[in-house]
Amino acid sequence: MLRISSIFKSLWTYRFFIFSSIKNDFKSRFSRSKFGGVWIVLHPLAMVLIYALILSQVMTAKMPGIVSDYAYPIYILSGIVCWNLFSEILGRSLNIFIENSDLIKKISFPKMTLPAIMVGTALVNFIILVVVMYIVFFILGHSPINNIIWLPVLVIITLSLAMGIGLFFGIINIFIRDVGQLINIILQFWFWLTPIVYTINIVPEKYKWIIMLNPLSSLTIGYHDVLVYDKSPDFTTLSYPIILAFVMLALSALIFKKANEEMADVL
């Protein structure tokens, strides 16, 4: 298995390449856009608005513990920030090596810098969205700041889980391209198996185990605890996604080591 210390050493050596690539990624995405980074938050905010308009009257009454006329939009937005971070990293991981095949073939550099660039870009997007989310919260009279210290912990778990799963299937996707298409379809179902637009308490008791089998459910509930209910997350339930994240990262490192030499030939 790849030594963790050697990976971090390579990332540190190529840190300027990573930072400049993140910067160039944003420049290329918004070079001809008048609104620039505003588009990063418009899509998730549009999703929140749509679900709030359709389901707000039904769901608000089923959300105990939130004293606000805007309880449901607050609830959805708190879950969306988790989902956006997870799905962006997982989705981009599936094609991270394929999209950079020319670079891999022509230049000798640590391939693990590519996921680092991807994570850096996703984190910038996430930070922008969280800042806008808190502005919206304050406008709505909601100020969850007492337990915000736990938010970076939840973010690290989310990143680890998304990278572990994404890189594992991303490497397989190099050799079997159908994998990427399949995971993208699974992501559409995955969203609805995660308590983002509904609360876990409305799920019938006999089906709750299916929802909780999804590791992102525990994570989303953790985000809701911090951002909606302003309390610390339950690390008993978070132990499942934490353990799964470590397992998937280890499997990703193992499969990367085995496939590293063959990547350039297949790409």
Side-chain angles (χ1 to χ4, degrees):
M1 190 175 293
L2 290 174
R3 291 176 56 188
I4 301 298
S5 59
S6 64
I7 293 176
F8 281 106
K9 184 178 179 181
S10 297
L11 294 178
W12 177 253
T13 302
Y14 283 81
R15 63 190 181 280
F16 297 113
F17 169 70
I18 294 172
F19 292 138
S20 63
S21 296
I22 294 172
K23 183 178 178 181
N24 290 334
D25 180 73
F26 277 94
K27 282 185 177 180
S28 62
R29 286 168 62 190
F30 305 119
S31 59
R32 297 187 180 182
S33 171
K34 292 183 179 180
F35 294 101
V38 173
W39 293 111
I40 294 173
V41 299
L42 283 182
H43 177 65
L45 290 180
M47 286 180 64
V48 171
L49 181 61
I50 291 169
Y51 288 123
L53 289 174
I54 296 173
L55 300 172
S56 187
Q57 293 300 317
V58 176
M59 291 299 303
T60 299
K62 301 179 182 296
M63 302 184 66
I66 313 178
V67 184
S68 173
D69 294 333
Y70 306 101
Y72 189 54
I74 290 169
Y75 180 86
I76 299 178
L77 188 52
S78 301
I80 286 292
V81 295
C82 171
W83 174 259
N84 268 28
L85 181 61
F86 176 82
S87 60
E88 179 180 356
I89 292 178
L90 177 53
R92 293 187 64 180
S93 295
L94 294 173
N95 296 298
I96 189 69
F97 299 112
I98 296 173
E99 291 174 354
N100 292 278
S101 58
D102 290 339
L103 193 63
I104 292 173
K105 291 177 180 179
K106 295 176 181 178
I107 304 174
S108 178
F109 69 103
K111 297 182 184 69
M112 291 308 293
T113 57
L114 296 175
I117 294 167
M118 172 193 66
V119 169
T121 304
L123 274 176
V124 174
N125 294 341
F126 176 81
I127 292 169
I128 293 172
L129 181 57
V130 167
V131 170
V132 173
M133 177 189 68
Y134 264 89
I135 292 173
V136 172
F137 280 176
F138 286 129
I139 293 173
L140 299 179
H142 183 62
S143 53
I145 57 176
N146 294 326
N147 287 279
I148 195 173
I149 189 174
W150 295 113
L151 188 58
V153 177
L154 294 171
V155 170
I156 291 172
I157 300 172
T158 308
L159 290 174
S160 302
L161 183 64
M163 278 194 66
I165 298 173
L167 290 178
F168 179 81
F169 288 105
I171 295 168
I172 295 177
N173 193 42
I174 296 172
F175 303 93
I176 308 173
R177 298 296 171 91
D178 295 329
V179 170
Q181 300 296 332
L182 178 61
I183 297 298
N184 283 323
I185 294 173
I186 290 174
L187 273 173
Q188 298 179 47
F189 291 96
W190 202 333
F191 176 84
W192 291 104
L193 287 172
T194 306
I196 297 173
V197 299
Y198 59 88
T199 59
I200 191 69
N201 63 300
I202 72 169
V203 179
E205 198 64 36
K206 61 180 179 180
Y207 297 123
K208 278 187 179 178
W209 70 272
I210 299 176
I211 301 299
M212 296 311 295
L213 193 62
N214 168 14
L216 206 61
S217 293
S218 300
L219 264 175
T220 304
I221 292 171
Y223 279 82
H224 286 147
D225 285 339
V226 173
L227 299 174
V228 179
Y229 302 104
D230 200 11
K231 64 180 184 180
S232 59
D234 182 1
F235 282 93
T236 302
T237 56
L238 284 174
S239 59
Y240 169 44
I242 290 172
I243 293 171
L244 183 60
F246 275 114
V247 170
M248 292 308 301
L249 284 171
L251 287 175
S252 296
L254 180 63
I255 195 173
F256 178 81
K257 181 180 180 180
K258 291 183 177 297
N260 189 26
E261 299 299 328
E262 299 177 28
M263 277 188 189
D265 295 332
V266 176
L267 289 169

